[in-house]
Amino acid sequence: MINLIINEWQKVFSRKSNIIIMIVIVGIAALLSFMPLIFDNEQASESSTYSEDWQSDVSQQINTLQEETEELLTQDTELSFSDSITVSINQDEIERLSYHSAEDIEPPAANNFYSRLVEASSLNALIGIFVTIIASAMVSKEFSMGTIKMLLIRTQSRTKILTAKYISTLLLAFFYYGLLYLSTTIFSLLTTDMNPTSEYVFMTMNGSYEHVQFISYFTGLVASNLVYLVIISSLAFTLSTITRNTSLSLGATLGAIFLGAGLTQYLASQTDLAKYLLMANWSLENYLPGRMTYIDGLSLPFSAIVNVVYVGVFLGLSYYAFNKQDVL
């Protein structure tokens, strides 16, 4: 089995498409990390270091923002577009700083390490697309190129061969995700300020602020992202195995990724059965602190069970089809 997995990895890493994907992942991580410095954003370059009496510094900062906001709002002329933006930004910043002061949590810089790691999770959908590209060709390409015959004449069973391909697909998904965060971490250490405390303050879906221990929050975020990648990998892999058509499996999986959210919300407005759809449950990020689901009846245990059932069905169909298919 180990030799089969190594063989699959050698195949994948010998492809130019895989090298391009890796370069794109590292490039995007670098771009997001250096972008605040490239555009010389004053707020992003603010230091997170306050004096020992940081609460007095924050209080002074709040007073300055309030004075600037009141001056803009009380002027005789109508607010310009830029002034309106300034007022809105100041009010948001006053609310954020007030929360930090009330909870006795020293505020970090606008461009801080914790926020950069959390923001990188928004690229998980992109990783899902890259994984789909590889998974959609994992089995179907063997049939289209005729190399499946070379695999099946080995002493290994079809079940072991397919298992090796599936494990290789999941490992590749985890590798892409790890590369994203390794690159983001390295670049962020060079371009951001470290957070002064282990507390992570964030805005919730309803517009208020909360705080949690960053390690626990980030662990939950990573776990939910990996579950999503396993589901996407399993879906593309199953379609590749059943249809033997790379384009069809790629198109169907990408369609689910891009259209899934909109279709789920529409069906949820029509029927309660929408909560059983895969697309309604594959994003476990909705159960993190400060977030919410938009479909009644969903919970973390329910979504976990639904996801396990779907993945189990996908794998069952894959093994059945692969063991029954004739190779001409």
Side-chain angles (χ1 to χ4, degrees):
M1 179 65 73
I2 300 297
N3 290 333
L4 288 174
I5 295 175
I6 294 175
N7 181 57
E8 293 299 329
W9 268 65
Q10 289 175 341
K11 289 180 184 178
V12 172
F13 278 87
S14 66
R15 300 173 189 169
K16 292 182 179 179
S17 59
N18 180 66
I19 304 300
I20 294 174
I21 288 174
M22 292 169 59
I23 293 174
V24 170
I25 291 174
V26 175
I28 291 178
L31 180 63
L32 292 180
S33 298
F34 285 97
M35 188 177 296
L37 303 182
I38 294 174
F39 290 97
D40 195 24
N41 187 304
E42 292 183 1
Q43 186 182 25
S45 61
E46 288 179 358
S47 174
S48 62
T49 303
Y50 290 89
S51 65
E52 292 185 3
D53 188 14
W54 64 266
Q55 285 198 329
S56 296
D57 297 338
V58 170
S59 179
Q60 180 61 42
Q61 193 174 353
I62 292 174
N63 291 334
T64 301
L65 292 171
Q66 288 175 336
E67 291 174 1
E68 181 183 5
T69 301
E70 291 175 1
E71 182 178 347
L72 291 173
L73 292 176
T74 56
Q75 64 184 3
D76 296 333
T77 59
E78 185 178 352
L79 283 178
S80 64
F81 177 75
S82 61
D83 287 343
S84 299
I85 296 297
T86 300
V87 169
S88 178
I89 292 176
N90 285 354
Q91 290 173 339
D92 291 341
E93 186 66 2
I94 289 171
E95 184 178 354
R96 184 183 74 87
L97 292 174
S98 297
Y99 181 88
H100 277 275
S101 181
E103 298 295 331
D104 196 26
I105 302 172
E106 184 177 347
N111 187 30
N112 65 82
F113 185 69
Y114 289 174
S115 294
R116 183 67 66 241
L117 292 183
V118 172
E119 289 166 3
S121 69
S122 62
L123 297 174
N124 193 48
L126 181 63
I127 300 299
I129 294 174
F130 291 152
V131 172
T132 298
I133 294 173
I134 300 298
S136 295
M138 187 62 74
V139 178
S140 58
K141 194 169 185 178
E142 299 281 6
F143 283 96
S144 63
M145 297 180 64
T147 53
I148 188 65
K149 299 176 184 178
M150 303 300 296
L151 284 175
L152 297 184
I153 62 176
R154 296 184 176 186
T155 57
Q156 304 290 351
S157 66
R158 290 194 179 195
T159 298
K160 283 188 176 181
I161 291 173
L162 191 64
T163 300
K165 284 184 170 294
Y166 181 66
I167 293 176
S168 298
T169 302
L170 295 184
L171 291 177
L172 188 66
F174 297 160
F175 172 77
Y176 286 161
Y177 189 76
L179 180 62
L180 169 65
Y181 266 103
L182 177 62
S183 303
T184 300
T185 300
I186 293 174
F187 293 133
S188 296
L189 288 173
L190 300 174
T191 60
T192 64
D193 290 320
M194 292 301 297
N195 296 63
T197 71
S198 62
E199 300 288 343
Y200 175 63
V201 176
F202 59 92
M203 180 178 287
T204 65
M205 297 293 288
N206 59 17
S208 61
Y209 283 93
E210 290 184 12
H211 70 276
V212 294
Q213 282 289 317
F214 178 75
I215 293 300
S216 61
Y217 184 86
F218 185 66
T219 300
L221 184 63
V222 170
S224 61
N225 287 341
L226 291 179
V227 168
Y228 171 80
L229 292 179
V230 169
I231 295 171
I232 292 298
S233 302
S234 301
L235 175 59
F237 183 83
T238 297
L239 292 174
S240 175
T241 304
I242 294 175
T243 65
R244 302 187 186 182
N245 188 310
T246 302
S247 299
L248 180 59
S249 57
L250 178 61
T253 307
L254 291 180
I257 292 174
F258 288 109
L259 304 178
L263 178 62
T264 300
Q265 289 186 4
Y266 171 74
L267 292 177
S269 65
Q270 305 297 317
T271 174
D272 293 336
L273 297 178
K275 67 180 181 180
Y276 295 102
L277 291 174
L278 176 62
M279 294 85 75
N281 295 277
W282 65 19
S283 180
L284 299 184
E285 287 186 35
N286 295 329
Y287 303 109
L288 291 174
R291 307 198 188 189
M292 63 183 68
T293 61
Y294 295 96
I295 300 177
D296 294 334
L298 291 182
S299 65
L300 179 57
F302 178 86
S303 293
I305 293 172
V306 170
N307 289 333
V308 169
V309 170
Y310 270 104
V311 171
V313 171
F314 290 158
L315 294 181
L317 291 174
S318 297
Y319 282 101
Y320 177 81
F322 191 72
N323 282 301
K324 293 295 183 180
Q325 286 173 338
D326 293 326
V327 178
L328 300 178

